[in-house]
Amino acid sequence: MSRKGILTIISGFSGVGKGTLVQGLMNQYDGYALSVSATTRNPRDGEVDGVNYFFRTREEFEAMIGNGELLEHAEYVNNYYGTPRAYVEGMLNDGKDVILEIEIQGARQIKEKMPEAVSIFIMPPDAQTLRKRLVGRGTETAEVIDKRLKRAVEESEGIEEYDYILVNDVLSESVEKLHNIIQSNHNDSDRNLEFINKIREDVKVFSEGE
Ligand code: 5GP
């Protein structure tokens, strides 16, 4: 039975630990492919072009939009972010479960186009932990941190639109929960219609000749 990959959208407030969680999933389990987004924001220390993001100018990014190269795109705290289409479609056809780590506007666009996608919103155990993580990470200026926290207020309005929430407290447990949510979706009857129909046809022989 050939199995098509599941497209999974992971969203969550800035500083909630989405990146570490997704990295943990990739390291621990096979069968996943992580989509690398394009962005116009500047690389952080240690970030590598083509690994963390495809870092692009605004002009280059707008050309990608114009050429239909992006599955979705959005503006987040003064920068563009978007998902390259070709990689995602190729990996899904190869049967890989593809992970998109994107914000809410992009998540809405994907759900509109591909309602079978699974969406998960990563929650902090409490709001103070979120603030502490974002400040402690030390990768953003105070002004950007402030904008990202304000954005969290807006994003919190849309959490119910997601299929699942996942509280990211103990990392190893969160990785396992994430894996279980995605894998249990492979058992969804709607995703197995071909197999169901085959068995349905095959059992008909039992009633033949009666
Ligand atoms: P950061 O600058 O912290 O790497 O990412 C900022 C926000 O942009 C995060 O919420 C992240 O999930 C989101 N993001 C990253 N890549 C994409 C993308 O391709 N599309 C959309 N819509 N959001 C993205």
Side-chain angles (χ1 to χ4, degrees):
M1 184 176 75
S2 72
R3 135 175 159 153
K4 195 166 187 283
I6 288 180
L7 183 60
T8 301
I9 301 163
I10 311 266
S11 300
F13 310 128
S14 187
V16 79
K18 301 179 293 279
T20 318
L21 181 58
V22 165
Q23 217 44 63
L25 183 77
M26 306 302 293
N27 293 342
Q28 208 159 316
Y29 298 99
D30 292 330
Y32 290 104
L34 176 59
S35 162
V36 176
S37 297
T39 185
T40 58
R41 90 150 158 69
N42 291 325
R44 294 181 185 134
D45 271 356
E47 281 186 334
V48 177
D49 186 38
V51 175
N52 304 92
Y53 279 105
F54 296 106
F55 294 101
R56 295 291 180 261
T57 63
R58 276 190 100 78
E59 293 70 34
E60 287 167 340
F61 196 101
E62 280 162 5
M64 291 174 88
I65 300 173
N67 296 333
E69 290 173 46
L70 300 176
L71 206 51
E72 60 74 36
H73 70 275
E75 211 156 350
Y76 175 93
V77 187
N78 309 330
N79 280 298
Y80 278 133
Y81 294 81
T83 304
R85 176 192 301 278
Y87 177 82
V88 172
E89 292 179 347
M91 286 292 152
L92 287 175
N93 287 331
D94 279 356
K96 298 271 191 241
D97 292 328
V98 178
I99 309 291
L100 305 183
E101 196 222 297
I102 63 176
E103 53 68 70
I104 191 163
Q105 303 167 69
R108 286 180 178 135
Q109 292 171 45
I110 296 284
K111 270 289 200 181
E112 183 104 340
K113 285 188 201 156
M114 304 161 98
E116 72 283 6
V118 173
S119 60
I120 308 172
F121 197 92
I122 313 299
M123 305 282 273
D126 54 71
Q128 274 315 315
T129 306
L130 185 72
R131 193 162 190 286
K132 258 189 253 157
R133 281 188 194 159
L134 195 51
V135 174
R137 182 161 89 175
T139 51
E140 264 86 16
T141 61
E143 191 198 340
V144 171
I145 290 175
D146 195 47
K147 282 192 185 160
R148 284 178 175 238
L149 286 172
K150 286 199 176 110
R151 177 62 188 247
V153 179
E154 282 168 42
E155 292 201 320
S156 69
E157 293 296 323
I159 299 175
E160 295 93 328
E161 296 171 32
Y162 286 76
D163 299 318
Y164 299 89
I165 64 157
L166 196 166
V167 179
N168 187 22
D169 196 352
V170 179
L171 179 67
S172 58
E173 289 174 13
S174 304
V175 169
E176 205 180 317
K177 280 186 210 159
L178 179 58
H179 177 67
N180 289 340
I181 291 174
I182 299 168
Q183 295 315 309
S184 64
N185 267 278
H186 277 291
N187 300 326
D188 185 343
S189 52
D190 282 349
R191 292 184 199 274
N192 291 281
L193 293 179
E194 213 175 298
F195 179 62
I196 293 169
N197 284 329
K198 181 181 185 307
I199 297 287
R200 187 177 282 142
E201 285 307 310
D202 288 355
V203 295
K204 277 189 187 153
V205 293
F206 298 144
S207 62
E208 277 167 16
E210 269 177 17

